[in-house]
Amino acid sequence: MAVAAEKATEGRAAARGRPRSESAQRAILDAVVDLIAGGQSFEGLSMDAVAARAGVGKATIYRRWPNKEELLLDALGADRPPVPRLHGRSVRDDLMLILTAMATSKTCDGRPIFDARIHSALLAEKSRNPDFYRRYREQVIEPRRAIMRNVLRRGVAAGELAAGLNVEVAQEMLVAPLILRLIRMNPEESLPAGFVGNLVETVLSGIARR
């Protein structure tokens, strides 16, 4: 009887349009990104506004996240695409896979991952709340940077890249131009054909073993 009553309650909730657990979580994370992309600062973002945009009660948010900082970290990381499966055959091939994934990835609603407004909000938070920005880099950015560092180090060990290569500098040379180009583009724009390939070739021509 208890199970039947619970199912009946779930059915009534669904009929009223109440999101199920997973869809509610997705709606909440999307609402955070939408509000930030719409010009809301991290500091000014309120749980009330997130709940209203997501169509859930505020208690639903607090059941999943104890505070706004934890919610922001999850929302900023949720739409980051998984790193593609790397072939491991050559540094060039693996760098192409990583950078192409960065260049073409979209959020679930079609927004570019590297949205200029979200990037601006992050930079503002860097000076206002450096601890939050540190955690963002550690949890969202660093795991992906580590993968590219491993590709470059593997290239050095295999003799594909110059011995003594400064891996951190090489990584910045590959990633920074791409992110800058993506942030500066209008939403309807696309990268020029061959941009990622030209970027990889240009950098490798300067750091490859001669």
Side-chain angles (χ1 to χ4, degrees), residues 158-175:
E160 288 184 73
L161 303 179
L165 171 69
N166 187 320
V167 169
E168 293 297 329
V169 172
Q171 182 172 242
E172 294 293 342
M173 291 167 64
L174 288 159
V175 173

Side-chain angles (χ1 to χ4, degrees), residues 21-184:
S21 178
E22 287 187 11
S23 59
Q25 178 155 324
R26 182 71 259 181
I28 293 165
L29 296 175
D30 288 347
V32 173
V33 176
D34 287 344
L35 289 166
I36 298 298
Q40 180 63 67
S41 68
F42 287 8
E43 183 180 14
L45 185 73
S46 72
M47 294 299 207
D48 287 324
V50 174
R53 177 65 67 93
V56 302
K58 196 158 62 169
T60 301
I61 299 177
Y62 281 113
R63 278 198 296 269
R64 293 165 171 79
W65 297 277
N67 53 57
K68 184 171 70 174
E69 185 171 289
E70 298 301 325
L71 173 58
L72 279 165
L73 286 170
D74 274 1
L76 293 170
D79 278 323
R80 293 280 172 164
V83 175
R85 183 181 298 276
L86 304 180
H87 300 317
R89 291 191 292 265
S90 73
V91 170
R92 178 179 280 98
D93 288 350
D94 285 350
L95 291 178
M96 284 291 297
L97 287 170
I98 293 170
L99 294 177
T100 298
M102 289 176 58
T104 59
S105 294
K106 306 283 186 182
T107 65
C108 60
D109 61 357
R111 181 188 299 113
I113 291 293
F114 295 98
D115 186 288
R117 292 161 296 186
I118 296 175
H119 183 73
S120 296
L122 271 169
L123 291 181
E125 197 68 6
K126 180 180 180 181
S127 58
R128 193 190 73 84
N129 187 351
D131 183 63
F132 172 85
Y133 191 79
R134 175 189 58 77
R135 292 185 64 202
Y136 166 76
R137 288 190 60 84
E138 289 176 354
Q139 295 181 29
V140 179
I141 302 301
E142 181 56 28
R144 291 166 174 80
R145 290 177 61 89
I147 291 170
M148 183 176 285
R149 278 199 295 269
N150 288 339
V151 170
L152 294 170
R153 286 171 180 154
R154 190 192 75 219
V156 173
E160 288 184 73
L161 303 179
L165 171 69
N166 187 320
V167 169
E168 293 297 329
V169 172
Q171 182 172 242
E172 294 293 342
M173 291 167 64
L174 288 159
V175 173
L178 176 59
I179 293 179
L180 180 61
R181 185 63 177 263
L182 291 170
I183 289 173
R184 290 171 59 184

